[in-house]
Amino acid sequence: MRTRFAPSPTGFLHLGSVRTALFSWLLARHYKGQFILRIEDTDQERSKPEYTQLILDGMKWLGLDWDEGPYYQSKRYDRYNEVINSLIIEDKAYYCNCTKERLTQMREDQIAQGQNTRYDGHCRDKKIPFTQECVVRLKLSLESSVGFEDLLHGIQDRDATMIDDWILRRSDGHPTYNFAVVVDDYDMNITHVVRGDDHLSNTPKQVSLYKLLNWPMPKFCHIPMILDEEGGRLSKRSGSANILGYREQGFLPEALLNAIVRLGWSHGDQELFNRQEMIDLFDFNGMQRSPACFNQEKFYWIARHTMQHISVETLVDKAIKEGFFKDTLQHAIAVVTLFKDRAKNFQEMIIQSDFLEHDPVLNAEAFINDYPSLTSALLQSFCDYLVTIEISKETFFNDLKIFATTHGLKIKEIALPLRIILTGTTESPDLGSVAYYLGKDKVINRIKSLKNSMK
Ligand code: GLU
């Protein structure tokens, strides 16, 4: 099994392209084959080296490693021209110098007559010699079918009248996608072509070329499109679909791959897969034909689950590598320990852990109203008490209990307001851990500053 991912560097890696890459990669890994990366950069106007770099960075971040490549189509023009020349010599392709005006007129006439628009073969048998303004067209064999079998969609009956003498090389010297992709898939011994089903309509053209060249065809597998939650098509330009956006927010690549693998593939009703499980379980059987929907909430759920199941040390390492936590290692460990069971990404951890560094702003008046038993005198005793104990994650809650009982309070009458004093919210990780990572000085100072504002 040799699969490939062949992105055009005309934009960011988006969910759809990562899904194609992931499926191809998983097949190669599952069947112990090879995964090839090829950059299809023949569109001079839209291809940009920055995009190529982002694609390579994205693939590395996701851990979708390739065994060969990246090959660049822009470096393979000699090979494309060699194939074209041999096709011309064998009378399987021809130069065409039809003008734009002629082609436009032809198309308009065909539409007016209710016909399919297709090249009418004007130059097909003219043996036009090469000139700069010529395109090269394939000489379609009308007798031969251009149908194929798709591993997901089954037999695709297509007869040659559905396509035309399509262009292999443009007059500017650049090969067309349908031509270069066939030469490359053949040269690179690709056995399985996995790509989005928006390419289903291109495949008959590619089949016509394989047949003309007498080259063996790879197996095709066109995977369903991905819809957003509203049922619309995920667009390349839609910000949420840009993979780097997830990286910048500090999502784990494992979580993203887990969410993406479910877009058009399933294994029973299992939702959670680690990398090795995906490799072990993935194959064509679980693939589905109907469009897949990317559900943001489900992704967040997977992301939280993934964080929970990775150790603090590993998470800290990953976060630092991604440029989070520029302060001390100690701070990073505190944040990750406190929030790894609650946050979906590193950015969220950092936002929620702001209280570790900055005193929360409290409204003393509202606080007194909400917690009338916490008088200034009680807060002072609490501070005096804290001075005498050692704050540890394990014993803090019990220490609180002792203080509460001594002062005739229920534990929650002290724990709840203390949580607010220390973190500014009622939702925070375990109070013992919060107090421990803040340290005794900060804990006491925050209580004192509330007490002072009561006067
Ligand atoms: N460069 C094409 C794309 O990005 C590749 C399609 C294919 O896999 O054949 O859509």
Side-chain angles (χ1 to χ4, degrees), residues 93-129:
Y94 59 92
Y95 293 113
C96 160
N97 59 8
C98 286
T99 60
K100 244 193 202 132
E101 293 70 33
R102 180 181 181 277
L103 293 173
T104 311
Q105 187 60 53
M106 174 196 81
R107 213 165 292 129
E108 281 168 9
D109 292 348
Q110 287 169 342
I111 291 170
Q113 287 162 33
Q115 295 169 354
N116 286 340
T117 55
R118 60 203 306 278
Y119 181 64
D120 59 4
H122 184 75
C123 298
R124 190 175 158 109
D125 296 312
K126 284 195 176 162
K127 296 248 181 288
I128 293 169

Side-chain angles (χ1 to χ4, degrees), residues 4 6-8 40 177 181 194-195 199:
R4 81 321 191 256
S8 307
E40 304 209 322
Y177 155 69
V181 80
V194 178
R195 59 186 169 210
H199 282 290

Side-chain angles (χ1 to χ4, degrees), residues 4-10 17 20 38-40 73 177 181 185 193-196 198-199 202 206 236:
R4 81 321 191 256
F5 175 49
S8 307
T10 54
S17 43
T20 304
R38 182 170 75 224
I39 305 293
E40 304 209 322
Q73 286 193 326
Y177 155 69
V181 80
D185 284 339
V193 168
V194 178
R195 59 186 169 210
D198 50 331
H199 282 290
N202 282 319
Q206 296 173 22
K236 265 192 191 180

Side-chain angles (χ1 to χ4, degrees), residues 69 126 240 272 353:
K126 284 195 176 162
S240 66
L272 298 164
S353 64

Side-chain angles (χ1 to χ4, degrees), residues 193-219:
V193 168
V194 178
R195 59 186 169 210
D197 62 11
D198 50 331
H199 282 290
L200 257 176
S201 59
N202 282 319
T203 310
K205 285 189 182 176
Q206 296 173 22
V207 170
S208 69
L209 182 59
Y210 279 109
K211 292 211 163 161
L212 218 53
L213 285 160
N214 278 322
W215 284 351
M217 270 198 277
K219 296 202 160 52

